[in-house]
Structure formats: C-alpha cells, structure tokens
Amino acid sequence: MALDVLLIEDNAQNRYLLTYLLEQNGYRVTVAADGPAGIELASAQLPDLILLDIQLPTMHGYDVARALRKLNALRATPIIAVTSYAMPGDREKTLEAGCDGYIEKPIDPETFVQEVEELCNSVRADGEAS
Ligand code: MN
C-alpha cells in the first residue's frame, strides 16, 4: 500500500519528522510550507490524504481547510489537522473549518501513523454510512 500524503506544515523539524514516519510506513509524502503552496499542490496532485498544520504563516489553517473543501476533486479527501492548538473549542473550530480529524502536537512518534490511519478509517466509514 502506498498512499500519497500532502503535508502542509511551516516548521522544518516537524516536516522532517512527519515525512520520516510516514515514509517508513510506505506513504509517499509531498510537503508544502504554507497554505497557498499547499492548496496549489493539492489541486495539482489530488493526494489521498492531507495533513494540515493550523498555525501557518500568510494563511491560517482554518482558511486553508475551507479553501481545500471548496475544491470539488478534494471534497472526499480526508484532511487531518495536526496542531498544538489545545484551547477549549479548538477541536470544534477545526472540524467546522472542514477537517475530518485532529491530532495534537507534540505528536507521539510511536503512535502517529496509527492515529492517522484510524482517523482515515473513520472518515471512510462515515462516508459509507451516509
Ligand atoms: Mn506551524
């Protein structure tokens, strides 16, 4: 199994770590360092999964999620927020913006890929139910 993942993350260390973990598990990873670059890559490459940082320069992660959701070809693509926002209500705001799930930073390298897969599976199950 090789799934194409688009990672939108401005922090180079996080990009490196997440790319490493995903590639170790057979994923192909494309990275973007900000929202506009991520949206452009997403529309060009139609990834199977998008991992989205929320605190991004130039364009907030919520706005990136909303813009991605407006693209017809990406309507069913899982978008998982990976973020250190942990205030009450942040999870809800993330989901309202169009993300399907939420993984808190700092991520746990031991379980990160499994968490991603579980969230994707639940997105798929929801899609089949409706
Ligand atoms: Mn960030």
Side-chain angles (χ1 to χ4, degrees), residues 65-130:
R66 287 191 196 99
L68 290 168
R69 277 293 172 245
K70 283 192 190 138
L71 301 170
N72 254 334
L74 294 169
R75 274 219 311 244
T77 306
I79 303 175
I80 297 176
V82 183
T83 171
S84 51
Y85 273 26
M87 300 291 285
D90 281 343
R91 182 179 294 263
E92 289 69 23
K93 281 184 220 155
T94 305
L95 300 179
E96 273 167 25
C99 296
D100 298 294
Y102 183 105
I103 295 176
E104 258 178 48
K105 287 178 184 166
I107 63 120
D108 180 348
E110 299 285 328
T111 58
F112 178 74
V113 173
Q114 192 188 332
E115 286 177 66
V116 168
E117 285 171 358
E118 280 167 11
L119 285 169
C120 287
N121 287 339
S122 68
V123 172
R124 239 168 260 136
D126 286 351
E128 279 157 21
S130 59

Coordinates of all heavy atoms in Angstrom, one line a residue, residues 65-130:
A65 N -8.2 24.9 5.2 CA -9.1 23.8 5.2 C -10.4 24.2 4.4 O -10.9 23.4 3.6 CB -9.5 23.4 6.6
R66 N -10.9 25.4 4.6 CA -12.1 25.8 3.9 C -11.8 25.9 2.4 O -12.7 25.5 1.6 CB -12.5 27.2 4.4 CG -13.1 27.2 5.8 CD -13.8 28.5 6.2 NE -14.1 28.5 7.6 CZ -13.3 29.1 8.5 NH1 -12.2 29.8 8.1 NH2 -13.5 28.9 9.8
A67 N -10.7 26.4 2.0 CA -10.3 26.5 0.6 C -10.2 25.2 0.0 O -10.7 24.9 -1.1 CB -9.0 27.3 0.4
L68 N -9.6 24.2 0.7 CA -9.4 22.9 0.2 C -10.8 22.2 0.0 O -11.1 21.5 -1.0 CB -8.6 22.0 1.1 CG -7.1 22.4 1.2 CD1 -6.4 21.6 2.4 CD2 -6.4 22.0 -0.1
R69 N -11.7 22.4 0.9 CA -13.0 21.8 0.8 C -13.9 22.4 -0.3 O -14.8 21.7 -0.7 CB -13.8 22.1 2.2 CG -13.5 21.0 3.2 CD -14.0 19.7 2.9 NE -13.5 18.7 3.8 CZ -12.6 17.7 3.5 NH1 -12.2 17.5 2.2 NH2 -12.2 16.8 4.4
K70 N -13.5 23.6 -0.8 CA -14.3 24.1 -1.9 C -13.9 23.5 -3.2 O -14.5 23.7 -4.2 CB -14.0 25.7 -2.0 CG -14.8 26.4 -0.9 CD -14.8 27.9 -1.2 CE -15.4 28.6 0.0 NZ -14.7 29.8 0.4
L71 N -12.7 22.8 -3.3 CA -12.3 22.2 -4.5 C -13.0 20.8 -4.6 O -12.9 20.0 -3.8 CB -10.8 21.9 -4.4 CG -9.9 23.2 -4.2 CD1 -8.5 22.8 -4.0 CD2 -10.0 24.1 -5.5
N72 N -13.8 20.8 -5.7 CA -14.7 19.6 -5.9 C -13.9 18.3 -5.8 O -14.4 17.3 -5.2 CB -15.3 19.7 -7.3 CG -16.8 20.0 -7.1 OD1 -17.4 19.7 -6.1 ND2 -17.4 20.6 -8.1
A73 N -12.7 18.2 -6.5 CA -12.0 17.0 -6.5 C -11.5 16.5 -5.2 O -11.1 15.4 -5.0 CB -10.8 17.2 -7.5
L74 N -11.5 17.4 -4.2 CA -11.0 17.1 -2.9 C -12.1 17.0 -1.8 O -11.8 16.9 -0.6 CB -10.0 18.2 -2.4 CG -8.7 18.2 -3.3 CD1 -7.9 19.5 -2.9 CD2 -7.8 17.0 -3.0
R75 N -13.3 17.0 -2.3 CA -14.4 17.0 -1.3 C -14.4 15.8 -0.3 O -14.8 15.9 0.8 CB -15.8 17.0 -2.0 CG -16.2 18.5 -2.4 CD -17.7 18.7 -2.2 NE -18.5 17.6 -2.9 CZ -19.3 17.8 -3.9 NH1 -19.4 19.0 -4.4 NH2 -20.0 16.9 -4.4
A76 N -14.0 14.7 -0.8 CA -14.0 13.5 0.0 C -12.6 13.1 0.5 O -12.4 12.1 1.2 CB -14.5 12.3 -0.8
T77 N -11.6 14.0 0.3 CA -10.2 13.7 0.7 C -10.1 14.0 2.2 O -10.5 15.1 2.7 CB -9.2 14.6 0.0 OG1 -9.5 14.4 -1.4 CG2 -7.8 14.2 0.3
P78 N -9.7 13.0 3.0 CA -9.5 13.3 4.5 C -8.5 14.4 4.7 O -7.4 14.4 4.1 CB -9.0 11.9 5.0 CG -9.3 10.9 4.0 CD -9.3 11.6 2.7
I79 N -8.9 15.3 5.5 CA -8.0 16.4 6.0 C -7.9 16.2 7.5 O -8.8 16.3 8.2 CB -8.5 17.8 5.6 CG1 -8.8 18.0 4.1 CG2 -7.5 18.9 6.1 CD1 -9.4 19.3 3.8
I80 N -6.6 16.0 7.9 CA -6.4 15.8 9.4 C -5.5 17.0 9.8 O -4.4 17.2 9.3 CB -5.7 14.5 9.6 CG1 -6.7 13.3 9.2 CG2 -5.4 14.4 11.1 CD1 -6.1 12.0 9.4
A81 N -6.0 17.7 10.8 CA -5.3 18.8 11.4 C -4.3 18.2 12.4 O -4.6 17.3 13.1 CB -6.2 19.7 12.2
V82 N -3.0 18.7 12.3 CA -2.0 18.3 13.3 C -1.6 19.6 13.9 O -0.9 20.5 13.3 CB -0.8 17.7 12.5 CG1 0.2 17.2 13.6 CG2 -1.3 16.5 11.7
T83 N -2.0 19.8 15.1 CA -1.8 21.2 15.7 C -1.7 21.2 17.2 O -2.1 20.3 17.9 CB -3.1 22.0 15.4 OG1 -3.1 23.2 16.1 CG2 -4.4 21.2 15.7
S84 N -1.0 22.2 17.7 CA -0.8 22.4 19.1 C -1.8 23.3 19.7 O -1.8 23.5 20.9 CB 0.6 23.0 19.4 OG 0.8 24.1 18.6
Y85 N -2.8 23.7 18.9 CA -3.9 24.4 19.5 C -4.6 23.5 20.4 O -5.1 22.4 20.0 CB -4.9 24.8 18.4 CG -4.7 26.1 17.7 CD1 -3.4 26.6 17.6 CD2 -5.7 26.8 17.1 CE1 -3.2 27.8 17.0 CE2 -5.5 28.0 16.5 CZ -4.2 28.5 16.4 OH -4.0 29.7 15.8
A86 N -4.8 23.8 21.7 CA -5.4 22.9 22.6 C -6.3 23.7 23.6 O -6.5 23.3 24.7 CB -4.4 22.1 23.4
M87 N -6.9 24.8 23.1 CA -7.8 25.5 23.9 C -9.2 24.9 23.7 O -9.5 24.3 22.7 CB -7.9 27.0 23.4 CG -6.6 27.7 23.5 SD -6.0 28.0 25.2 CE -7.2 29.4 25.7
P88 N -10.0 25.1 24.7 CA -11.4 24.6 24.6 C -12.0 25.2 23.3 O -11.9 26.4 23.1 CB -12.1 25.1 25.8 CG -11.1 25.3 26.8 CD -9.8 25.7 26.0
G89 N -12.7 24.3 22.5 CA -13.3 24.8 21.3 C -12.5 24.7 20.1 O -13.0 24.8 19.0
D90 N -11.2 24.5 20.2 CA -10.3 24.5 19.1 C -10.6 23.3 18.2 O -10.6 23.3 17.0 CB -8.8 24.4 19.5 CG -8.3 25.8 19.8 OD1 -9.0 26.8 19.5 OD2 -7.3 25.9 20.5
R91 N -10.9 22.1 18.9 CA -11.2 20.9 18.1 C -12.5 21.2 17.2 O -12.5 20.9 16.0 CB -11.5 19.8 19.0 CG -11.7 18.5 18.4 CD -12.0 17.4 19.4 NE -10.8 17.1 20.2 CZ -9.9 16.1 19.9 NH1 -10.2 15.3 18.9 NH2 -8.8 15.9 20.6
E92 N -13.5 21.8 17.8 CA -14.7 22.1 17.1 C -14.5 23.0 16.0 O -15.0 22.8 14.9 CB -15.8 22.7 18.1 CG -16.3 21.7 19.1 CD -15.3 21.3 20.2 OE1 -14.3 22.0 20.4 OE2 -15.5 20.2 20.8
K93 N -13.7 24.1 16.2 CA -13.4 25.0 15.1 C -12.7 24.3 14.0 O -12.9 24.6 12.8 CB -12.5 26.2 15.6 CG -13.3 27.2 16.4 CD -12.4 28.4 16.8 CE -12.7 28.9 18.2 NZ -11.6 29.5 18.9
T94 N -11.8 23.4 14.3 CA -11.0 22.7 13.3 C -12.0 21.9 12.4 O -11.9 21.9 11.2 CB -10.0 21.8 14.0 OG1 -9.2 22.6 14.8 CG2 -9.1 21.1 13.0
L95 N -12.9 21.2 13.1 CA -13.8 20.4 12.4 C -14.8 21.2 11.5 O -15.1 20.9 10.4 CB -14.6 19.4 13.3 CG -13.7 18.5 14.1 CD1 -14.5 17.6 15.1 CD2 -12.8 17.6 13.2
E96 N -15.2 22.3 12.1 CA -16.1 23.2 11.4 C -15.5 23.8 10.1 O -16.1 24.0 9.1 CB -16.5 24.5 12.3 CG -17.7 24.2 13.2 CD -17.9 25.3 14.2 OE1 -17.4 26.4 14.0 OE2 -18.4 25.0 15.3
A97 N -14.2 24.0 10.2 CA -13.5 24.5 9.0 C -13.3 23.5 7.9 O -13.0 23.8 6.8 CB -12.1 25.0 9.4
G98 N -13.7 22.2 8.2 CA -13.7 21.2 7.2 C -12.7 20.1 7.4 O -12.6 19.1 6.6
C99 N -11.9 20.1 8.5 CA -11.1 19.0 8.8 C -11.9 17.8 9.3 O -12.9 18.0 9.9 CB -10.0 19.4 9.8 SG -8.9 20.7 9.3
D100 N -11.4 16.6 9.1 CA -12.1 15.4 9.5 C -11.6 14.9 10.8 O -12.2 14.0 11.4 CB -11.9 14.3 8.4 CG -12.4 14.7 7.1 OD1 -13.7 14.8 7.0 OD2 -11.6 14.9 6.2
G101 N -10.4 15.3 11.2 CA -9.9 14.8 12.5 C -8.8 15.7 12.9 O -8.4 16.7 12.3
Y102 N -8.2 15.3 14.1 CA -7.4 16.3 14.8 C -6.4 15.5 15.6 O -6.7 14.5 16.3 CB -8.3 17.0 15.7 CG -7.8 18.1 16.6 CD1 -8.1 19.4 16.3 CD2 -7.2 17.8 17.8 CE1 -7.7 20.4 17.2 CE2 -6.8 18.8 18.7 CZ -7.0 20.1 18.3 OH -6.7 21.1 19.2
I103 N -5.1 15.7 15.4 CA -4.0 15.1 16.2 C -3.3 16.2 16.9 O -2.8 17.2 16.2 CB -3.1 14.2 15.3 CG1 -3.9 13.1 14.7 CG2 -1.9 13.7 16.1 CD1 -3.1 12.2 13.7
E104 N -3.1 16.1 18.2 CA -2.4 17.1 18.9 C -0.9 17.0 18.9 O -0.4 15.9 18.9 CB -2.9 17.1 20.4 CG -3.9 18.2 20.7 CD -4.4 18.0 22.1 OE1 -3.6 17.9 23.0 OE2 -5.7 18.1 22.3
K105 N -0.3 18.2 18.8 CA 1.2 18.3 18.9 C 1.5 18.5 20.4 O 0.7 19.2 21.0 CB 1.7 19.4 18.1 CG 1.8 19.2 16.6 CD 2.3 20.5 16.0 CE 2.3 20.5 14.5 NZ 2.5 21.8 13.9
P106 N 2.6 18.1 20.9 CA 3.6 17.3 20.2 C 3.1 15.9 19.8 O 2.4 15.3 20.7 CB 4.8 17.2 21.1 CG 4.2 17.4 22.5 CD 3.0 18.3 22.3
I107 N 3.4 15.4 18.6 CA 2.9 14.1 18.2 C 3.8 13.1 18.9 O 4.9 13.3 19.3 CB 3.0 13.9 16.7 CG1 4.4 14.1 16.2 CG2 2.1 14.9 16.0 CD1 4.9 12.8 15.5
D108 N 3.2 11.9 19.0 CA 3.9 10.7 19.6 C 4.4 9.9 18.4 O 3.6 9.3 17.7 CB 3.0 9.9 20.5 CG 3.7 8.7 21.1 OD1 4.8 8.4 20.7 OD2 3.1 8.1 22.0
P109 N 5.7 9.9 18.2 CA 6.3 9.2 17.0 C 5.9 7.7 17.0 O 5.8 7.1 15.9 CB 7.8 9.4 17.2 CG 8.0 10.5 18.0 CD 6.8 10.5 19.0
E110 N 5.7 7.1 18.2 CA 5.3 5.7 18.3 C 4.0 5.4 17.7 O 3.7 4.3 17.2 CB 5.4 5.2 19.7 CG 6.7 5.4 20.4 CD 7.7 4.3 20.0 OE1 7.2 3.2 19.7 OE2 8.9 4.6 19.9
T111 N 3.1 6.4 17.9 CA 1.6 6.1 17.5 C 1.1 7.0 16.4 O 0.0 6.8 16.0 CB 0.7 6.3 18.7 OG1 0.9 7.6 19.2 CG2 1.1 5.3 19.9
F112 N 1.9 7.9 15.9 CA 1.4 8.9 15.0 C 0.7 8.3 13.7 O -0.4 8.6 13.4 CB 2.5 9.9 14.5 CG 2.0 10.9 13.6 CD1 1.2 11.9 13.9 CD2 2.3 10.8 12.2 CE1 0.7 12.9 13.0 CE2 1.9 11.7 11.3 CZ 1.1 12.7 11.7
V113 N 1.4 7.4 13.1 CA 0.9 6.8 11.8 C -0.4 6.0 12.1 O -1.3 6.1 11.3 CB 2.0 6.0 11.1 CG1 1.4 5.3 9.9 CG2 3.1 6.9 10.6
Q114 N -0.4 5.3 13.2 CA -1.6 4.6 13.6 C -2.8 5.5 13.8 O -3.9 5.2 13.4 CB -1.3 3.8 14.8 CG -2.3 2.7 15.1 CD -2.1 2.1 16.5 OE1 -0.9 2.0 16.9 NE2 -3.1 1.6 17.2
E115 N -2.5 6.6 14.5 CA -3.6 7.6 14.7 C -4.1 8.1 13.4 O -5.3 8.3 13.2 CB -3.1 8.8 15.5 CG -2.9 8.5 17.0 CD -2.3 9.7 17.7 OE1 -3.0 10.7 17.8 OE2 -1.1 9.6 18.2
V116 N -3.2 8.4 12.5 CA -3.6 8.9 11.1 C -4.5 7.9 10.5 O -5.6 8.2 9.9 CB -2.4 9.2 10.3 CG1 -2.8 9.4 8.8 CG2 -1.6 10.4 10.8
E117 N -4.1 6.6 10.5 CA -4.8 5.6 9.8 C -6.2 5.3 10.5 O -7.2 5.1 9.8 CB -4.0 4.3 9.8 CG -2.9 4.4 8.8 CD -1.9 3.3 8.8 OE1 -2.0 2.4 9.7 OE2 -0.9 3.3 8.0
E118 N -6.3 5.4 11.8 CA -7.6 5.3 12.5 C -8.5 6.4 12.1 O -9.7 6.1 11.8 CB -7.4 5.2 14.0 CG -6.9 3.8 14.4 CD -6.4 3.8 15.9 OE1 -6.6 4.8 16.6 OE2 -5.8 2.8 16.3
L119 N -8.0 7.6 12.0 CA -8.8 8.7 11.6 C -9.3 8.6 10.2 O -10.5 8.8 9.9 CB -8.1 10.1 11.8 CG -8.0 10.5 13.2 CD1 -7.0 11.7 13.3 CD2 -9.3 10.9 13.8
C120 N -8.4 8.1 9.3 CA -8.8 7.9 7.9 C -9.9 6.8 7.8 O -10.9 7.0 7.0 CB -7.6 7.5 7.0 SG -6.6 8.9 6.7
N121 N -9.7 5.8 8.6 CA -10.7 4.7 8.5 C -12.1 5.2 9.0 O -13.1 4.8 8.5 CB -10.3 3.5 9.4 CG -9.1 2.8 8.7 OD1 -8.9 2.8 7.5 ND2 -8.4 2.0 9.5
S122 N -12.1 6.1 10.0 CA -13.4 6.5 10.5 C -14.0 7.5 9.5 O -15.2 7.5 9.3 CB -13.3 7.1 11.9 OG -12.6 8.3 11.9
V123 N -13.2 8.3 8.8 CA -13.7 9.1 7.7 C -14.4 8.2 6.6 O -15.5 8.5 6.2 CB -12.6 10.0 7.0 CG1 -13.1 10.7 5.8 CG2 -12.0 10.9 8.0
R124 N -13.7 7.2 6.2 CA -14.2 6.3 5.2 C -15.5 5.6 5.7 O -16.5 5.5 4.9 CB -13.2 5.2 4.9 CG -12.8 5.2 3.5 CD -11.5 4.3 3.3 NE -10.3 5.1 3.2 CZ -9.2 4.8 3.8 NH1 -9.1 3.8 4.6 NH2 -8.2 5.6 3.7
A125 N -15.6 5.2 6.9 CA -16.8 4.5 7.5 C -17.9 5.5 7.5 O -19.1 5.2 7.1 CB -16.5 4.0 8.9
D126 N -17.7 6.8 7.8 CA -18.7 7.8 7.8 C -19.3 8.0 6.4 O -20.4 8.1 6.2 CB -18.2 9.2 8.3 CG -18.0 9.2 9.8 OD1 -18.4 8.2 10.5 OD2 -17.4 10.2 10.3
G127 N -18.3 8.0 5.4 CA -18.7 8.2 4.0 C -19.6 7.1 3.5 O -20.6 7.4 2.8
E128 N -19.3 5.9 4.0 CA -20.2 4.8 3.6 C -21.5 4.8 4.2 O -22.5 4.3 3.7 CB -19.4 3.4 3.9 CG -18.4 3.1 2.8 CD -17.3 2.2 3.3 OE1 -17.5 1.5 4.4 OE2 -16.2 2.2 2.8
A129 N -21.6 5.3 5.5 CA -22.8 5.3 6.2 C -23.8 6.3 5.6 O -25.0 6.1 5.7 CB -22.6 5.6 7.7
S130 N -23.3 7.4 5.1 CA -24.3 8.4 4.6 C -24.6 8.3 3.2 O -24.0 7.6 2.4 CB -23.7 9.8 4.9 OG -22.5 10.0 4.3

